[in-house]
Amino acid sequence: MRIPIIGGNWKMHRGVPKDAKEMLEQLIPLVKDLKNVDIVIIPPFTALSVVEYVKGTNIKIGAQNMYFEEKGAFTGEISPKFLKDIGCEYVILGHSERRDIFKESNELINKKLKKALSIGLKPIVCIGEHLEEREQGKTKDIIKSQFEGTFKGLSKEDINKVVIAYEPIWAIGTGKTATPDQANEVHQYIRELLSSNYDKELSENLRIQYGGSVNPSNASELFEKENIDGGLVGGASLEADSFAKIIKVTQI
Ligand code: PGA
């Protein structure tokens, strides 16, 4: 059985610890009794100190990015070791905003991924196509090449620790969600890739989240699809109320 995972990707919002705490203060009581769901809040680096605040609750903390070296002359970068040492459990890698705006390649993400795994951070790895690619019928080709590039050289044991987030880029922050069938079809395809590159058992056990304009009204039709194991939520994760509603969908 795959336990759903709901991530709140705050992007460049609520980066002051006080603002992050304010949200968490409201969220903690709303979700404290929920079981069989992994809840991860992913604030900007400047608010990662909330790891202390959520200690003893069922909320985990993740980072939005990291570098592939542990230390050294890399001005402006964040070491995965720092993240691990302060108690961060997860890290998002290869978000489409990193791929598109900051030109992160599959090769770079692959290096970061291997490093994150060696340090013991749990990676949430994003893949997804642009609108033109979907319209040209290239969705599967794009997913396949991102999959092969990003996971290159990963052992079965390593990839087992990864959460994949399928995020069609045209659905991110646009209010335009993939239909549950569109999303499920790509999730199914990712499972086929996992099965052919690794094995069937692994493909059935690995968690694949959906991301892209998930909100309290569309979460249930998405999460009830057999291949979708929760969501990576941007905008709707910024307020405790809407985020809690999305998390609660996993309990139905
Ligand atoms: P969104 O963002 O929910 O605001 O579309 C999702 C994401 O980018 O992870």
Side-chain angles (χ1 to χ4, degrees):
M1 224 210 48
R2 301 186 299 262
I3 295 179
I5 171 165
I6 312 291
N9 174 12
W10 286 359
K11 309 192 179 185
M12 211 163 71
H13 301 284
R14 288 196 181 273
V16 175
K18 182 174 149 284
D19 296 338
K21 267 188 202 156
E22 214 170 81
M23 188 281 191
L24 288 165
E25 200 174 16
Q26 294 170 27
L27 182 68
I28 291 168
L30 294 175
V31 300
K32 71 174 180 10
D33 297 324
L34 306 184
K35 296 202 168 58
N36 294 320
V37 57
D38 287 336
I39 306 169
V40 190
I41 290 286
I42 308 151
F45 292 127
T46 47
L48 284 176
S49 53
V50 295
V51 288
E52 295 298 325
Y53 192 70
V54 301
K55 265 194 185 147
T57 74
N58 55 350
I59 298 172
K60 307 290 186 206
I61 298 296
Q64 297 176 15
N65 187 24
M66 51 163 262
Y67 194 51
F68 61 77
E69 294 286 357
E70 281 177 42
K71 61 179 177 191
F74 304 107
T75 303
E77 289 297 325
I78 294 285
S79 158
K81 184 87 170 36
F82 301 162
L83 298 175
K84 179 73 182 169
D85 287 352
I86 65 163
C88 211
E89 215 168 289
Y90 289 83
V91 63
I92 298 182
L93 295 175
H95 189 280
S96 62
E97 286 149 19
R98 301 292 325 165
R99 290 179 187 265
D100 283 356
I101 306 171
F102 301 100
K103 308 292 173 229
E104 291 198 7
S105 62
N106 285 328
E107 293 71 27
L108 177 65
I109 299 159
N110 179 255
K111 278 188 180 174
K112 292 184 178 193
L113 177 57
K114 286 176 178 160
K115 191 70 202 181
L117 288 163
S118 77
I119 293 269
L121 287 167
K122 297 175 183 162
I124 297 175
V125 179
C126 305
I127 52 179
E129 80 287 359
H130 290 99
L131 184 58
E132 316 79 84
E133 294 161 344
R134 173 164 283 266
E135 286 172 350
Q136 291 163 9
K138 290 185 186 155
T139 300
K140 286 187 178 170
D141 296 343
I142 297 294
I143 294 295
K144 185 167 190 274
S145 79
Q146 286 179 343
F147 181 99
E148 287 171 353
T150 308
F151 297 127
K152 195 170 180 195
L154 244 65
S155 67
K156 183 179 162 187
E157 197 193 347
D158 275 345
I159 199 162
N160 231 332
K161 297 174 190 145
V162 169
V163 173
I164 298 178
Y166 167 57
E167 299 206 306
I169 296 159
W170 46 274
I172 296 178
T174 56
K176 225 194 267 175
T177 341
T179 64
D181 285 337
Q182 279 175 324
N184 194 53
E185 191 190 343
V186 180
H187 285 229
Q188 170 67 44
Y189 179 62
I190 297 170
R191 291 201 196 283
E192 282 164 31
L193 291 171
L194 286 164
S195 185
S196 55
N197 284 275
Y198 296 92
D199 63 41
K200 194 161 181 349
E201 192 193 352
L202 179 125
S203 85
E204 283 167 0
N205 290 334
L206 203 108
R207 293 185 293 181
I208 309 176
Q209 302 176 289
Y210 167 79
S213 298
V214 175
N215 62 42
S217 340
N218 60 27
S220 69
E221 54 178 20
L222 286 161
F223 299 172
E224 77 191 8
K225 286 288 173 187
E226 59 166 317
N227 289 300
I228 302 182
D229 309 309
L232 186 56
V233 187
S237 72
L238 289 169
E239 300 299 329
D241 227 37
S242 59
F243 194 49
K245 281 187 184 138
I246 295 171
I247 299 167
K248 283 178 185 167
V249 165
T250 63
Q251 309 289 298
I252 302 166

mmCIF file of all heavy atoms in Angstrom, residues 134 166 168 170-171 176-187 210 212 218 221-222 225 228:
data_model
loop_
_atom_site.group_PDB
_atom_site.id
_atom_site.type_symbol
_atom_site.label_atom_id
_atom_site.label_comp_id
_atom_site.label_asym_id
_atom_site.label_seq_id
_atom_site.Cartn_x
_atom_site.Cartn_y
_atom_site.Cartn_z
ATOM 1 N N ARG A 134 2.753 18.940 -25.082
ATOM 2 C CA ARG A 134 1.532 18.125 -24.982
ATOM 3 C C ARG A 134 0.724 18.238 -26.272
ATOM 4 O O ARG A 134 0.267 17.242 -26.820
ATOM 5 C CB ARG A 134 0.687 18.562 -23.773
ATOM 6 C CG ARG A 134 -0.670 17.867 -23.724
ATOM 7 C CD ARG A 134 -1.339 17.983 -22.381
ATOM 8 N NE ARG A 134 -0.770 17.081 -21.395
ATOM 9 C CZ ARG A 134 -1.232 15.865 -21.125
ATOM 10 N NH1 ARG A 134 -2.274 15.386 -21.766
ATOM 11 N NH2 ARG A 134 -0.654 15.120 -20.200
ATOM 12 N N TYR A 166 4.659 14.367 -10.705
ATOM 13 C CA TYR A 166 4.346 14.697 -12.101
ATOM 14 C C TYR A 166 3.653 16.043 -12.097
ATOM 15 O O TYR A 166 2.564 16.206 -11.528
ATOM 16 C CB TYR A 166 3.445 13.636 -12.740
ATOM 17 C CG TYR A 166 2.866 14.139 -14.060
ATOM 18 C CD1 TYR A 166 3.716 14.561 -15.079
ATOM 19 C CD2 TYR A 166 1.492 14.226 -14.268
ATOM 20 C CE1 TYR A 166 3.207 15.066 -16.275
ATOM 21 C CE2 TYR A 166 0.977 14.719 -15.457
ATOM 22 C CZ TYR A 166 1.838 15.143 -16.455
ATOM 23 O OH TYR A 166 1.341 15.654 -17.630
ATOM 24 N N PRO A 168 2.600 18.774 -14.848
ATOM 25 C CA PRO A 168 2.521 19.360 -16.186
ATOM 26 C C PRO A 168 2.706 20.875 -16.062
ATOM 27 O O PRO A 168 1.984 21.521 -15.291
ATOM 28 C CB PRO A 168 1.113 18.998 -16.662
ATOM 29 C CG PRO A 168 0.352 18.554 -15.464
ATOM 30 C CD PRO A 168 1.331 18.175 -14.409
ATOM 31 N N TRP A 170 2.069 23.429 -17.816
ATOM 32 C CA TRP A 170 0.943 24.286 -18.180
ATOM 33 C C TRP A 170 -0.116 24.346 -17.086
ATOM 34 O O TRP A 170 -1.015 25.181 -17.126
ATOM 35 C CB TRP A 170 0.321 23.790 -19.495
ATOM 36 C CG TRP A 170 0.103 22.296 -19.539
ATOM 37 C CD1 TRP A 170 1.020 21.354 -19.909
ATOM 38 C CD2 TRP A 170 -1.072 21.583 -19.159
ATOM 39 N NE1 TRP A 170 0.479 20.091 -19.795
ATOM 40 C CE2 TRP A 170 -0.809 20.205 -19.349
ATOM 41 C CE3 TRP A 170 -2.343 21.974 -18.702
ATOM 42 C CZ2 TRP A 170 -1.756 19.218 -19.074
ATOM 43 C CZ3 TRP A 170 -3.284 20.989 -18.432
ATOM 44 C CH2 TRP A 170 -2.984 19.634 -18.622
ATOM 45 N N ALA A 171 -0.017 23.472 -16.103
ATOM 46 C CA ALA A 171 -1.017 23.457 -15.027
ATOM 47 C C ALA A 171 -0.499 24.135 -13.757
ATOM 48 O O ALA A 171 -1.240 24.295 -12.799
ATOM 49 C CB ALA A 171 -1.417 22.016 -14.719
ATOM 50 N N LYS A 176 -5.299 25.954 -14.242
ATOM 51 C CA LYS A 176 -5.724 24.944 -15.226
ATOM 52 C C LYS A 176 -5.162 23.594 -14.778
ATOM 53 O O LYS A 176 -3.967 23.350 -14.894
ATOM 54 C CB LYS A 176 -5.055 25.308 -16.549
ATOM 55 C CG LYS A 176 -5.961 25.232 -17.741
ATOM 56 C CD LYS A 176 -5.150 25.260 -19.012
ATOM 57 C CE LYS A 176 -4.964 26.645 -19.599
ATOM 58 N NZ LYS A 176 -4.075 26.641 -20.760
ATOM 59 N N THR A 177 -6.007 22.737 -14.232
ATOM 60 C CA THR A 177 -5.488 21.444 -13.773
ATOM 61 C C THR A 177 -5.570 20.430 -14.901
ATOM 62 O O THR A 177 -6.455 20.521 -15.739
ATOM 63 C CB THR A 177 -6.393 20.833 -12.673
ATOM 64 O OG1 THR A 177 -7.184 21.855 -12.133
ATOM 65 C CG2 THR A 177 -5.610 20.126 -11.625
ATOM 66 N N ALA A 178 -4.678 19.462 -14.858
ATOM 67 C CA ALA A 178 -4.856 18.327 -15.768
ATOM 68 C C ALA A 178 -6.126 17.618 -15.319
ATOM 69 O O ALA A 178 -6.434 17.599 -14.121
ATOM 70 C CB ALA A 178 -3.660 17.393 -15.653
ATOM 71 N N THR A 179 -6.860 17.018 -16.235
ATOM 72 C CA THR A 179 -8.022 16.260 -15.790
ATOM 73 C C THR A 179 -7.476 15.026 -15.054
ATOM 74 O O THR A 179 -6.336 14.599 -15.312
ATOM 75 C CB THR A 179 -8.889 15.774 -16.972
ATOM 76 O OG1 THR A 179 -8.095 14.855 -17.743
ATOM 77 C CG2 THR A 179 -9.334 16.926 -17.842
ATOM 78 N N PRO A 180 -8.281 14.454 -14.169
ATOM 79 C CA PRO A 180 -7.802 13.263 -13.460
ATOM 80 C C PRO A 180 -7.336 12.177 -14.431
ATOM 81 O O PRO A 180 -6.328 11.504 -14.179
ATOM 82 C CB PRO A 180 -9.023 12.820 -12.661
ATOM 83 C CG PRO A 180 -9.792 14.089 -12.444
ATOM 84 C CD PRO A 180 -9.584 14.921 -13.662
ATOM 85 N N ASP A 181 -8.030 12.035 -15.562
ATOM 86 C CA ASP A 181 -7.624 11.002 -16.523
ATOM 87 C C ASP A 181 -6.303 11.334 -17.199
ATOM 88 O O ASP A 181 -5.462 10.457 -17.387
ATOM 89 C CB ASP A 181 -8.708 10.788 -17.590
ATOM 90 C CG ASP A 181 -9.891 10.020 -17.026
ATOM 91 O OD1 ASP A 181 -9.704 9.301 -16.018
ATOM 92 O OD2 ASP A 181 -10.989 10.164 -17.573
ATOM 93 N N GLN A 182 -6.122 12.604 -17.545
ATOM 94 C CA GLN A 182 -4.844 13.020 -18.155
ATOM 95 C C GLN A 182 -3.694 12.752 -17.186
ATOM 96 O O GLN A 182 -2.656 12.220 -17.569
ATOM 97 C CB GLN A 182 -4.855 14.526 -18.456
ATOM 98 C CG GLN A 182 -5.557 14.913 -19.728
ATOM 99 C CD GLN A 182 -5.621 16.435 -19.874
ATOM 100 O OE1 GLN A 182 -5.780 17.165 -18.894
ATOM 101 N NE2 GLN A 182 -5.514 16.911 -21.093
ATOM 102 N N ALA A 183 -3.894 13.135 -15.926
ATOM 103 C CA ALA A 183 -2.832 12.947 -14.940
ATOM 104 C C ALA A 183 -2.582 11.457 -14.720
ATOM 105 O O ALA A 183 -1.432 10.994 -14.770
ATOM 106 C CB ALA A 183 -3.207 13.628 -13.629
ATOM 107 N N ASN A 184 -3.653 10.715 -14.542
ATOM 108 C CA ASN A 184 -3.513 9.287 -14.261
ATOM 109 C C ASN A 184 -2.778 8.545 -15.381
ATOM 110 O O ASN A 184 -1.970 7.649 -15.128
ATOM 111 C CB ASN A 184 -4.896 8.668 -14.030
ATOM 112 C CG ASN A 184 -4.806 7.302 -13.404
ATOM 113 O OD1 ASN A 184 -4.149 7.126 -12.365
ATOM 114 N ND2 ASN A 184 -5.418 6.313 -14.042
ATOM 115 N N GLU A 185 -3.038 8.981 -16.606
ATOM 116 C CA GLU A 185 -2.405 8.339 -17.755
ATOM 117 C C GLU A 185 -0.877 8.531 -17.713
ATOM 118 O O GLU A 185 -0.121 7.581 -17.966
ATOM 119 C CB GLU A 185 -2.969 8.972 -19.036
ATOM 120 C CG GLU A 185 -2.603 8.218 -20.282
ATOM 121 C CD GLU A 185 -2.975 8.991 -21.555
ATOM 122 O OE1 GLU A 185 -3.781 9.946 -21.495
ATOM 123 O OE2 GLU A 185 -2.414 8.619 -22.599
ATOM 124 N N VAL A 186 -0.443 9.733 -17.352
ATOM 125 C CA VAL A 186 1.004 9.963 -17.276
ATOM 126 C C VAL A 186 1.600 9.221 -16.065
ATOM 127 O O VAL A 186 2.679 8.632 -16.164
ATOM 128 C CB VAL A 186 1.341 11.474 -17.240
ATOM 129 C CG1 VAL A 186 2.847 11.684 -17.150
ATOM 130 C CG2 VAL A 186 0.783 12.178 -18.474
ATOM 131 N N HIS A 187 0.870 9.227 -14.965
ATOM 132 C CA HIS A 187 1.363 8.480 -13.800
ATOM 133 C C HIS A 187 1.531 7.000 -14.152
ATOM 134 O O HIS A 187 2.505 6.359 -13.754
ATOM 135 C CB HIS A 187 0.398 8.626 -12.616
ATOM 136 C CG HIS A 187 0.483 9.962 -11.937
ATOM 137 N ND1 HIS A 187 0.607 10.105 -10.576
ATOM 138 C CD2 HIS A 187 0.490 11.214 -12.445
ATOM 139 C CE1 HIS A 187 0.672 11.404 -10.270
ATOM 140 N NE2 HIS A 187 0.598 12.087 -11.387
ATOM 141 N N TYR A 210 0.790 14.209 -7.873
ATOM 142 C CA TYR A 210 0.435 15.103 -8.965
ATOM 143 C C TYR A 210 0.596 16.544 -8.482
ATOM 144 O O TYR A 210 0.264 16.863 -7.332
ATOM 145 C CB TYR A 210 -1.023 14.885 -9.414
ATOM 146 C CG TYR A 210 -1.469 16.015 -10.304
ATOM 147 C CD1 TYR A 210 -1.086 16.039 -11.642
ATOM 148 C CD2 TYR A 210 -2.184 17.106 -9.803
ATOM 149 C CE1 TYR A 210 -1.421 17.117 -12.459
ATOM 150 C CE2 TYR A 210 -2.526 18.180 -10.612
ATOM 151 C CZ TYR A 210 -2.129 18.177 -11.932
ATOM 152 O OH TYR A 210 -2.445 19.247 -12.727
ATOM 153 N N GLY A 212 0.087 20.816 -9.828
ATOM 154 C CA GLY A 212 -0.381 21.754 -10.842
ATOM 155 C C GLY A 212 -1.798 22.181 -10.531
ATOM 156 O O GLY A 212 -2.750 21.475 -10.853
ATOM 157 N N ASN A 218 -10.626 20.315 -6.400
ATOM 158 C CA ASN A 218 -10.281 19.281 -7.397
ATOM 159 C C ASN A 218 -9.454 18.134 -6.808
ATOM 160 O O ASN A 218 -9.210 17.136 -7.475
ATOM 161 C CB ASN A 218 -9.568 19.892 -8.614
ATOM 162 C CG ASN A 218 -8.265 20.597 -8.240
ATOM 163 O OD1 ASN A 218 -7.635 20.250 -7.260
ATOM 164 N ND2 ASN A 218 -7.854 21.579 -9.032
ATOM 165 N N GLU A 221 -11.013 14.307 -6.823
ATOM 166 C CA GLU A 221 -11.104 13.549 -8.087
ATOM 167 C C GLU A 221 -9.714 13.150 -8.593
ATOM 168 O O GLU A 221 -9.546 12.136 -9.258
ATOM 169 C CB GLU A 221 -11.896 14.319 -9.143
ATOM 170 C CG GLU A 221 -11.373 15.709 -9.397
ATOM 171 C CD GLU A 221 -12.149 16.455 -10.479
ATOM 172 O OE1 GLU A 221 -13.281 16.056 -10.757
ATOM 173 O OE2 GLU A 221 -11.595 17.421 -11.035
ATOM 174 N N LEU A 222 -8.705 13.956 -8.238
ATOM 175 C CA LEU A 222 -7.337 13.606 -8.652
ATOM 176 C C LEU A 222 -6.795 12.464 -7.781
ATOM 177 O O LEU A 222 -6.307 11.452 -8.274
ATOM 178 C CB LEU A 222 -6.415 14.824 -8.516
ATOM 179 C CG LEU A 222 -6.590 15.920 -9.572
ATOM 180 C CD1 LEU A 222 -6.001 17.238 -9.086
ATOM 181 C CD2 LEU A 222 -5.932 15.511 -10.894
ATOM 182 N N LYS A 225 -7.683 8.678 -8.161
ATOM 183 C CA LYS A 225 -7.164 7.877 -9.281
ATOM 184 C C LYS A 225 -6.107 6.888 -8.768
ATOM 185 O O LYS A 225 -5.282 7.243 -7.923
ATOM 186 C CB LYS A 225 -6.545 8.799 -10.336
ATOM 187 C CG LYS A 225 -7.579 9.555 -11.130
ATOM 188 C CD LYS A 225 -8.289 8.616 -12.071
ATOM 189 C CE LYS A 225 -9.453 9.285 -12.771
ATOM 190 N NZ LYS A 225 -10.250 8.342 -13.576
ATOM 191 N N ILE A 228 -2.315 7.935 -8.564
ATOM 192 C CA ILE A 228 -1.944 9.243 -7.993
ATOM 193 C C ILE A 228 -1.880 9.152 -6.469
ATOM 194 O O ILE A 228 -2.870 8.818 -5.819
ATOM 195 C CB ILE A 228 -2.940 10.336 -8.445
ATOM 196 C CG1 ILE A 228 -2.958 10.413 -9.990
ATOM 197 C CG2 ILE A 228 -2.593 11.690 -7.817
ATOM 198 C CD1 ILE A 228 -3.866 11.486 -10.574
#
